[in-house]
């Protein structure tokens, strides 16, 4: 038996989901104090005040709160894991938690980096790609999706694959005028559209955002070599150097998440059991994960699922 | 009104609904634990149980909003077959 840690991607969780845990859990409180210090404002006050606003799900405050919750939960579980983990991974937003957990960047710096990247991203999408969303579709095998995307290409409609979550579960970025017909075709083929994310993510179209983040934010941070290998969510490669950890974070802006490749790499490393610290509504629950690993969810005690 | 078979199947996908609580027609399924992946699982279960293939407009989150909306969609799909 060998264990791995999977830090969840960020879902649309709000203050009502995490506020109580962040207020009461001693590990979370310690990280909150660090956050207040490095951010220069009281995180919980801002997080609470932003709750319910249109952008609250993915606001700077929500992102930092989510990061803290994941790091607190794995810290709390230390010593209780069935075996020392041999690798960690973090699809999409989870890459930030994985980098902090691996030791490639201290938690305090990752908190600050998360907040600054959130601001950078918000600023970028205020004027760029203002009509682009990333739509998730389930029950849509690649052969079916490919035909739909080919038809979009024929119609000169821009689109990009932003991620593969499972054999028949994908994330596609496109402009909102293309969405209606795309969804209709997915449904006609028996696929189930789930949600459209804004801001969009993981597309080669956002190369300018990657450059902006590198120049304006990442240049202020120095990464170390991870003490625990990280599996890159873009291609399943094993990240063991500071430079590769930094690239993984930046490439998240422009390269799709390839979750099945991460699962494959973890299996190659011998992982049989995975712990998922944090609120997870996706990567720990898809068949690709549950058929390959024993999944142990580490969630705030107030939640059952 | 739906039958016991439907209610049992739907309840098995609602982790936050106590056994003692009535499955009201307008119950908000999301509030009782039916999230996006839960919908995917429920869909597979329904298709298997009723031997149907749901497509087109039925495949939207609105269909899975309440027990009555979902039952209506299912009944439409299998209009000629006893549920």
């Amino acid at each position: 038996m060998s264990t791995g840690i999977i830090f969840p991607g960020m879902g649309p969780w709000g203050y009502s989901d995490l506020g109580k845990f962040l207020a009461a859990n001693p590990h979370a409180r310690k990280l909150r104090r660090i956050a207040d210090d490095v951010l220069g404002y009281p995180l919980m006050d801002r997080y609470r005040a932003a709750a319910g606003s249109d952008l609250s799900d993915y606001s700077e405050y929500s992102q930092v709160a989510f990061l803290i919750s994941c790091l607190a939960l794995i810290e709390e579980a230390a010593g209780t894991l069935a075996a020392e983990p041999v690798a960690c991974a973090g699809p999409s937003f989870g890459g930030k938690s994985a980098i902090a957990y691996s030791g490639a960047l201290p938690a305090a710096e990752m908190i600050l980096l998360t907040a600054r990247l959130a601001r950078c991203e918000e600023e970028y999408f205020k004027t760029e790609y203002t009509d682009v969303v990333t739509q998730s579709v389930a029950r849509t095998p690649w052969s079916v999706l490919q035909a739909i995307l080919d038809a979009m290409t024929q119609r000169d409609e821009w689109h990009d694959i932003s991620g593969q979550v499972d054999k028949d579960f994908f994330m596609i970025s496109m402009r909102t005028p293309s969405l209606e017909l795309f969804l209709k075709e997915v449904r006609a083929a028996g696929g189930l559209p789930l949600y459209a994310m804004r801001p969009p993510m993981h597309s080669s179209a956002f190369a300018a955002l990657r450059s902006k983040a590198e120049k304006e934010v990442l240049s202020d941070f120095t990464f170390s070599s991870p003490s625990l290998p990280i599996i890159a969510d873009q291609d399943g490669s094993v990240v063991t150097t500071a430079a590769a950890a930094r690239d993984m974070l930046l490439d998240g802006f422009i390269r799709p998440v390839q979750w099945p490749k991460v699962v494959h790499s973890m299996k190659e490393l011998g992982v049989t059991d995975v712990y998922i610290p944090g609120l997870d509504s996706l990567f720990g629950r898809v068949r690709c994960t549950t058929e390959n690993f024993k999944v142990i969810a580490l969630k705030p005690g107030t939640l059952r699922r | 009104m739906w039958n016991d078979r439907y209610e049992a199947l739907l309840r098995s996908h609602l982790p936050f609904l106590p056994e003692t609580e009535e499955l009201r027609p307008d119950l908000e399924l999301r509030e009782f634990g039916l999230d996006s992946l839960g919908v995917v699982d429920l869909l597979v279960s329904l298709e298997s149980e009723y031997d149907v293939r749901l497509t087109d407009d039925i495949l939207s989150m609105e269909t899975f909003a309440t027990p009555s909306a979902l039952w209506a969609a299912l009944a439409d799909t299998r209009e000629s077959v006893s549920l």
Side-chain angles (χ1 to χ4, degrees), chain A residues 57-78:
Chain A
D57 287 348
Y58 299 102
S59 70
E60 169 185 335
Y61 319 120
S62 292
Q63 291 193 31
V64 173
F66 188 76
L67 173 78
I68 286 177
S69 69
C70 297
L71 295 178
L73 284 161
I74 194 64
E75 190 177 297
E76 187 173 56

Side-chain angles (χ1 to χ4, degrees), chain A residues 248-267:
Chain A
M248 182 189 84
L249 186 63
L250 282 168
D251 285 350
F253 288 115
I254 58 167
R255 294 179 63 193
V257 171
Q258 301 270 11
W259 184 242
K261 289 188 176 179
V262 177
V263 170
H264 178 76
S265 293
M266 282 203 146
K267 278 185 74 78

